[in-house]
Amino acid sequence: MIQRDVTIAQLDDLARSIRRDVIEEIRTAGSGHPGGSLSCAEILAVLYGYVVQPGPDWLSRPDRDHVILSKGHAAPALYAALAEVGLVDREELGTLRQLGSRLQGHPDVTRLAAVEMSTGSLGQGLSVGVGMAWRLRATGGAGRVFVILGDGELDSGQVWEALSLGGVLGLENLVAIVDANEIQNDGPVAGILDLRPYGPKLQAFGWAVREANGHDTGELVAAMDWARSGEPGARPRCVIAHTVKGRGVSFMEGRPEWHSHALTLEQYERAVEEVERR
Amino acid sequence: MTSGTLVSLRDAYGELLPELGREEPRLVVLDADLSTSTRTGKFRQAFPERTLNVGIAEQNMVGVAAGVALAGGIPFVHTFASFLTRRAADQIAISVAYPRLNVKFFGFHAGVNLGEDGATQQAVEDVGIMQAIPGIRVYAPVDADDLVATVREVMRTAGPTYVRLSRFPSPILGQDDSTAAPAVKALRSGGQILVIVTGTLAAEVVAAADALKAQGISVRVVGVSRIKPLDPSIAALVSAWGPRPVAVAEEHNIHGGLADALSSVLDEAGVPHRLHRFGVPDRFGESGPPRELLESLGLGSRALAERIAAIVSQQPAQPDPQRWEE
């Protein structure tokens, strides 16, 4: 269990453990999305290890923070984070994608309440976050809603509908985190639907935007402190976390083919070694 | 209400909504720039803080509803049946039905109600879309009284539901047989043909049955407002009807609607059947005055009377009328 006072070194350890779990899960499952799972390891480490810090009673606490993994294909990383903070048994990680498992290929809240929302059809999570944040604000709820999106996911029109509404409503209790790993299924974002720079567009939609190195837990902690402060005003917050797809495994980094890919035994052994060494 | 009184489902809904809002503080109303049509104004006046108009963004509205439900609210989602079920089908399936969230969908102006506006605003496939998505209960009330009963049932039932509403004033049909199961409404008794109908098209079928009575043709009309799950008692009703003809009438494509749902229930129950399908013959609607459009599709009371008479006239010598219960 993570303690309230947490150091940057602990968050880095947590991210390393998440990466190690991701490699293990996808190797055992024989399929999955390693690239986008590895790119958000620090984001999840900072969210669960520093911001949310879910205890065993987390799901029954009305004042709790919420996390929605809109980029649902990073489910192995989410399950790993939940295992690291004690909400999923470590042994259960070995059941990913198997028939009857709570760990579906993409998160299923009816099987595993700790994932908070079923996602996987890209583009849908931010709307859910807007609805939650609006309802929480209206009922005096203390919690915030954190939504993790992929940069490829920003292609989807529904995301911009949600950005519009979130901005108009001025939902200061809503924090979007874009895992900007610059690669989507078919290749580099730059060669498909290049919407960069994201910052000015999001600001034009009424959001307070901050950029961060998405692999620097210190920068992410500072960004989360900013998002939870009054400084950005009555606007929803967005942290654009610049990341590397497949981060931590040299032969996956920046390689689109590792968006969705199984690992051979040799690749698995090399990946584990690299992740543990880093 | 008194039988024969003309009330549109949406007006009855608009009156009911603030009442429900007072009873249930978690009720939240969502609209997508069609709130004048969906009659949510009185609720908005009473509970502005529980009302949200998201603009012309149905996919976002469904996702927002999912978030409201996750945060403990009970969202009622309103727009035309066409825009809701066609545009936001994936959001309804993945953001609401898959996580089994307590979201209540209301599809307005279903079928070909929006005559002059043409096919883009009409919905002839909404029931098919909604009943193919796992876990959604689907309703098409036959009149305003039935709508009120339906919405109250929807409130009592946890999980996603879809209620199909129509636009124009339609008559309160009453029930002339109190012994029928609640899920199956006996609208007219008769012995030569059984017509099972859903939605406000029931008024057309009843009018056809009344006209045919004067010609000596005896039509039994049964209304069904919950299409999914269909009440299993309907299988016993059809079984008891024996070899006499059975028709299904709906302001919907002949595919994916009540006829398919009924056929499925009859298959499950092992009841041999042949259903005459009075529906939209697998085509989109078109512009035209709603009544004329309905008649052109074979679904107005005049066209229905002709179709029913034709089926009855083609029947072999009728079996002993005492042999089969009514």
Side-chain angles (χ1 to χ4, degrees):
Chain A
M1 183 57 53
I2 303 290
Q3 298 305 304
R4 275 279 152 193
D5 295 316
V6 62
T7 64
I8 294 301
Q10 284 174 311
L11 292 174
D12 287 337
D13 279 345
L14 181 52
R16 192 176 299 112
S17 300
I18 289 171
R19 281 207 171 83
R20 163 77 208 234
D21 293 340
V22 164
I23 302 296
E24 204 78 53
E25 286 175 83
I26 293 175
R27 165 64 188 164
T28 307
S31 66
H33 297 83
S37 295
L38 294 171
S39 65
C40 64
E42 280 79 13
I43 294 170
L44 289 167
V46 169
L47 268 183
Y48 285 97
Y50 174 68
V51 178
V52 179
Q53 298 196 338
D57 65 338
W58 175 55
L59 286 172
S60 56
R61 270 176 33 209
D63 61 336
R64 70 196 171 98
D65 288 329
H66 301 270
V67 179
I68 296 170
L69 182 70
S70 189
K71 47 169 288 183
H73 55 284
L78 176 60
Y79 302 145
L82 294 174
E84 295 299 335
V85 297
L87 291 171
V88 167
D89 285 340
R90 295 200 52 81
E91 300 72 52
E92 197 174 351
L93 294 180
T95 69
L96 173 68
R97 290 178 170 246
Q98 288 177 16
L99 198 61
S101 173
R102 297 198 300 169
L103 309 190
Q104 293 290 292
H106 294 76
D108 174 1
V109 70
T110 66
R111 292 173 191 249
L112 182 62
V115 302
E116 296 209 70
M117 181 57 184
S118 304
T119 53
S121 181
L122 289 174
Q124 299 194 16
L126 191 59
S127 299
V128 179
V130 168
M132 280 182 106
W134 177 68
R135 176 69 185 170
L136 287 173
R137 189 176 72 176
T139 54
R144 288 185 177 76
V145 182
F146 297 85
V147 182
I148 306 167
L149 301 104
D151 49 357
E153 189 176 7
L154 300 182
D155 293 355
S156 176
Q158 189 187 346
V159 172
W160 296 89
E161 292 181 356
L163 288 167
S164 306
L165 184 62
V168 166
L169 293 173
L171 295 170
E172 63 268 39
N173 55 346
L174 176 62
V175 184
I177 303 166
V178 179
D179 175 9
N181 63 32
E182 297 186 10
I183 290 174
Q184 55 194 108
N185 186 71
D186 279 0
V189 165
I192 294 170
L193 182 62
D194 194 357
L195 298 171
R196 297 172 304 171
Y198 306 120
K201 295 183 178 70
L202 291 162
Q203 280 164 344
F205 276 66
W207 287 61
V209 181
R210 177 161 169 152
E211 315 234 356
N213 176 344
H215 298 307
D216 184 322
T217 50
E219 275 194 36
L220 286 173
V221 163
M224 290 301 121
D225 286 344
W226 165 82
R228 294 187 294 170
S229 75
E231 188 192 329
R235 290 181 293 171
R237 287 78 160 127
C238 178
V239 174
I240 299 167
H242 296 281
T243 60
V244 175
K245 193 135 178 170
R247 168 77 171 192
V249 179
S250 60
F251 58 91
M252 293 185 188
E253 287 189 358
R255 305 284 292 270
E257 60 268 35
W258 286 97
H259 171 79
S260 175
H261 208 294
L263 285 88
T264 65
L265 180 60
E266 190 194 342
Q267 287 167 334
Y268 160 75
E269 286 170 345
R270 208 178 129 198
V272 168
E273 194 218 314
E274 286 190 24
V275 165
E276 288 184 340
R277 196 181 55 215
R278 195 181 276 252
Chain B
M1 277 178 267
T2 314
S3 184
T5 309
L6 290 172
V7 190
S8 80
L9 266 55
R10 59 173 177 158
D11 286 334
Y13 181 76
E15 296 296 326
L16 175 65
L17 205 46
E19 200 178 306
L20 291 176
R22 279 186 287 276
E23 294 169 18
E24 175 49 83
R26 294 172 298 174
L27 199 164
V28 165
V29 162
L30 302 179
D31 266 294
D33 195 39
L34 287 170
S35 66
T36 50
S37 297
T38 65
R39 299 292 197 257
T40 54
K42 286 186 176 164
F43 182 94
R44 184 172 62 243
Q45 279 174 358
F47 306 105
E49 74 290 350
R50 284 156 60 188
T51 307
L52 183 60
N53 193 330
V54 305
I56 308 165
E58 293 77 10
Q59 300 177 340
N60 191 40
M61 175 165 63
V62 173
V64 166
V68 168
L70 282 169
I74 305 176
F76 277 39
V77 176
H78 307 85
T79 185
F80 288 178
S82 52
F83 306 143
L84 176 68
T85 64
R86 288 200 297 256
R87 183 174 300 185
D90 188 35
Q91 287 74 17
I92 292 168
I94 298 305
S95 283
V96 174
Y98 182 45
R100 296 201 286 266
L101 296 177
N102 195 22
V103 175
K104 311 305 185 188
F105 296 108
F106 295 88
F108 289 75
H109 300 3
V112 295
N113 283 191
L114 281 163
E116 291 85 352
D117 281 343
T120 56
Q121 326 298 99
Q122 298 166 358
V124 298
E125 66 287 84
D126 57 319
V127 172
I129 292 168
M130 296 304 258
Q131 74 167 333
I133 297 173
I136 301 185
R137 296 163 75 92
V138 178
Y139 299 81
V142 299
D143 63 17
D145 282 349
D146 193 27
L147 171 94
V148 172
T150 294
V151 177
R152 292 209 168 269
E153 178 177 323
V154 156
M155 281 295 283
R156 284 193 302 272
T157 313
T161 57
Y162 174 60
V163 180
R164 186 180 211 238
L165 292 89
S166 57
R167 178 187 186 191
F168 297 108
S170 58
I172 299 296
L173 298 171
Q175 291 189 29
D176 63 357
D177 179 1
S178 58
T179 62
V184 174
K185 297 159 221 322
L187 300 176
R188 288 293 183 271
S189 50
Q192 287 175 280
I193 181 170
L194 167 63
V195 183
I196 301 170
V197 59
T198 189
T200 49
L201 192 68
E204 300 292 328
V205 175
V206 164
D210 291 346
L212 288 167
K213 195 173 186 178
Q215 299 170 31
I217 296 174
S218 170
V219 182
R220 182 181 182 188
V221 182
V222 163
V224 170
S225 53
R226 197 182 69 214
I227 300 171
K228 182 187 177 183
L230 202 53
D231 195 275
S233 71
I234 195 94
L237 187 149
V238 172
S239 179
W241 186 250
R244 291 171 290 181
V246 179
V248 174
E250 51 192 325
E251 198 176 327
H252 188 275
N253 196 334
I254 53 170
H255 301 302
L258 175 63
D260 277 357
L262 177 60
S263 178
S264 182
V265 165
L266 295 175
D267 285 343
E268 291 289 325
V271 178
H273 58 278
R274 187 224 160 158
L275 304 176
H276 296 274
R277 291 176 184 237
F278 298 161
V280 178
D282 198 28
R283 51 162 282 198
F284 286 99
E286 62 180 306
S287 286
R291 281 222 54 82
E292 285 178 30
L293 180 55
L294 215 49
E295 290 291 352
S296 78
L297 291 166
L299 296 173
S301 58
R302 282 203 319 271
L304 284 168
E306 284 170 21
R307 295 171 82 175
I308 292 168
I311 292 168
V312 169
S313 72
Q314 285 161 15
Q315 290 305 301
Q318 288 297 306
D320 174 4
Q322 301 306 315
R323 223 182 113 201
W324 303 100
E325 71 178 70
E326 210 163 81

